Amino acid sequence: MHQRLAFIDTLRGIAVLSVVVQHALEVIVREHPTGAYHSIFHDAIGYYMNFGRFGVALFFFVSGFVIPFSFPASASPVNDFAVSRFFRLYPAYWTSIAIGLVTMQAVELRTYPLSQIVANITMLQSFLEVRHLWDFYWTLTIELLFYVACTILFAAGLLTRRLTAVAIVVATALAGAAVAVLVEDRAAWVMMEIGLNLSAMFLGKIIRDTVVGGTLRWRHVAVCTALYAVFAITLAGRRYGGAYEDNFFYSYSIAAAHVSAAVVFIVFAAFGERMAWRPLAFVGLISYSVYLMSPFAMVWVHHYAWPGDGPLAWLVFVAEVVMSSILVSWMTYSLVEKPWISFARRLRSGHSKPVVLEPALGRQGAAQ
């Protein structure tokens, strides 16, 4: 079946740990007296760089590198892809909802309307105009949109066309930057941000086609990355610019996150398995669970294991959050994710293998 690439899992590990550390530092800054360290902390994670958004953008690049090549060469590739993605996403997601509801009730005595819970169970709450139970679920909406886009392109025979992703990134970047500059409408900027995230995914495919498939050249990567960077910087300036509102989102931090994620991903892709680091690759293997479970692990740690104030205590808190998140996520990966992924494979329509652009990719085959 699919061959895992250790450098891709390493990138996943970097991405999810960036998100976890960002959220842990935000708790410190928001809820505890940081005194003379306040501006240093706040500027580091909100004004100049938002590491959470960096991690999310890195995840989107990884999705673009992997997902378009996940359609199996089987009798029913679209159906098999849909089944595979469903069991990859939903069981762990439902587990996080259950753990989240129990955690918020037990620790913070917080409850949620049944209608909101039911809508969130579908993972389609954004399309139903229902609020996410927890804000970090927004990235799953982008993932679903990308799956739909890839399915449509695959069904139309366009997904494996040489310049399809290039055309999408170029058109999206030019249109998005133009809207950001010319349109005075915050709702339009929000829509363009969705386009920015989707373009990151297709840029990930372009990089894959360059370093693995060999159907594109580095000049394609260079042009598309430059346009993506212009799009990100322009949109961030409009959507998050102006006065810094102390909410960890600002034009500098969001633009830096997207551009840095692109640079990091390109460097890793260029050097391949030489960039792999096994400990981070292990975290990357369970990164979906880490992303889903870490907010609730942090609630428990913050409430019951807060080490106190001061730089050393804050470092201990971040370490507690990271380690507890990894431990819980290893359990949910082993007990939930992995069994359901295996179950989905048994549902595929006969023997299949992933669709690739080249007859043989050697050791750089598709990563799961």
Side-chain angles (χ1 to χ4, degrees):
M1 297 304 294
H2 297 223
Q3 176 185 343
R4 294 200 76 93
L5 294 177
F7 86 88
I8 287 293
D9 278 334
T10 300
L11 282 167
R12 288 188 176 109
I14 293 171
V16 78
L17 290 180
S18 297
V19 173
V20 173
V21 170
Q22 173 78 26
H23 291 167
L25 293 177
E26 286 179 6
V27 168
I28 295 171
V29 173
R30 280 198 315 263
E31 303 186 27
H32 297 276
T34 48
Y37 297 96
H38 182 82
S39 61
I40 297 174
F41 264 114
H42 212 297
D43 288 352
I45 64 174
Y47 189 83
Y48 294 111
M49 171 65 88
N50 186 299
F51 292 95
R53 187 57 63 89
F54 164 80
V56 166
L58 202 53
F59 270 129
F60 289 155
F61 279 106
V62 169
S63 288
F65 192 93
V66 173
I67 298 303
F69 303 89
S70 298
F71 289 88
S74 65
S76 303
V78 172
N79 180 72
D80 290 344
F81 173 79
V83 169
S84 172
R85 290 297 95 191
F86 179 87
F87 286 106
R88 179 70 182 88
L89 291 185
Y90 275 89
Y93 172 70
W94 289 333
T95 302
S96 80
I97 290 178
I99 291 176
L101 291 173
V102 170
T103 295
M104 302 312 288
Q105 169 63 33
V107 179
E108 299 188 359
L109 301 178
R110 186 179 302 177
T111 59
Y112 300 86
L114 180 60
S115 59
Q116 185 182 9
I117 295 172
V118 171
N120 274 256
I121 287 174
T122 69
M123 206 187 286
L124 303 174
Q125 57 270 19
S126 293
F127 308 105
L128 300 173
E129 297 185 348
V130 176
R131 289 190 62 181
H132 298 293
L133 282 170
W134 301 284
D135 289 342
F136 65 93
Y137 282 171
W138 73 269
T139 61
L140 302 180
T141 300
I142 307 299
E143 285 285 340
L144 289 178
L145 287 173
F146 186 57
Y147 294 170
V148 171
C150 286
T151 300
I152 293 172
L153 291 171
F154 180 84
L158 297 174
L159 189 61
T160 55
R161 292 283 183 89
R162 180 169 175 265
L163 295 177
T164 296
V166 172
I168 290 172
V169 172
V170 170
T172 303
L174 292 175
V179 170
V181 171
L182 301 175
V183 178
E184 292 287 344
D185 186 346
R186 192 170 185 83
W189 300 340
V190 172
M191 292 300 298
M192 289 305 100
E193 191 163 28
I194 295 173
L196 176 66
N197 292 320
L198 290 173
S199 65
M201 293 172 162
F202 282 105
L203 182 52
K205 182 184 184 301
I206 291 169
I207 296 167
R208 164 71 177 255
D209 288 341
T210 301
V211 300
V212 177
T215 58
L216 294 176
R217 299 291 179 262
W218 281 108
R219 63 177 180 271
H220 297 104
V221 175
V223 170
C224 290
T225 302
L227 289 173
Y228 169 81
V230 170
F231 183 13
I233 293 169
T234 304
L235 182 61
R238 294 288 277 170
R239 176 145 162 65
Y240 299 102
Y244 183 39
E245 300 177 357
D246 292 340
N247 60 358
F248 306 105
F249 293 91
Y250 188 55
S251 57
Y252 298 164
S253 65
I254 299 303
H258 282 277
V259 175
S260 297
V263 172
V264 168
F265 188 83
I266 289 170
V267 170
F268 269 72
F271 288 95
E273 295 296 79
R274 285 173 288 178
M275 299 297 290
W277 189 39
R278 297 299 170 179
L280 275 177
F282 168 73
V283 177
L285 176 66
I286 62 173
S287 58
Y288 183 49
S289 277
V290 175
Y291 184 79
L292 292 174
M293 307 304 166
S294 60
F296 311 119
M298 184 165 59
V299 170
W300 287 97
V301 169
H302 183 230
H303 189 81
Y304 292 105
W306 174 250
D309 293 318
L312 181 59
W314 298 330
L315 180 62
V316 170
F317 172 69
V318 173
E320 288 177 337
V321 171
V322 170
M323 296 308 296
S324 62
S325 298
I326 291 174
L327 176 60
V328 171
S329 300
W330 174 76
M331 295 172 61
T332 56
Y333 172 80
S334 300
L335 298 175
V336 179
E337 276 193 77
K338 194 173 181 180
W340 283 110
I341 291 172
S342 297
F343 176 74
R345 286 173 180 162
R346 294 197 296 270
L347 295 179
R348 287 181 174 176
S349 53
H351 180 71
S352 63
K353 60 183 179 179
V355 171
V356 296
L357 294 182
E358 295 291 325
L361 297 178
R363 67 182 182 87
Q364 296 221 39
Q368 288 182 21

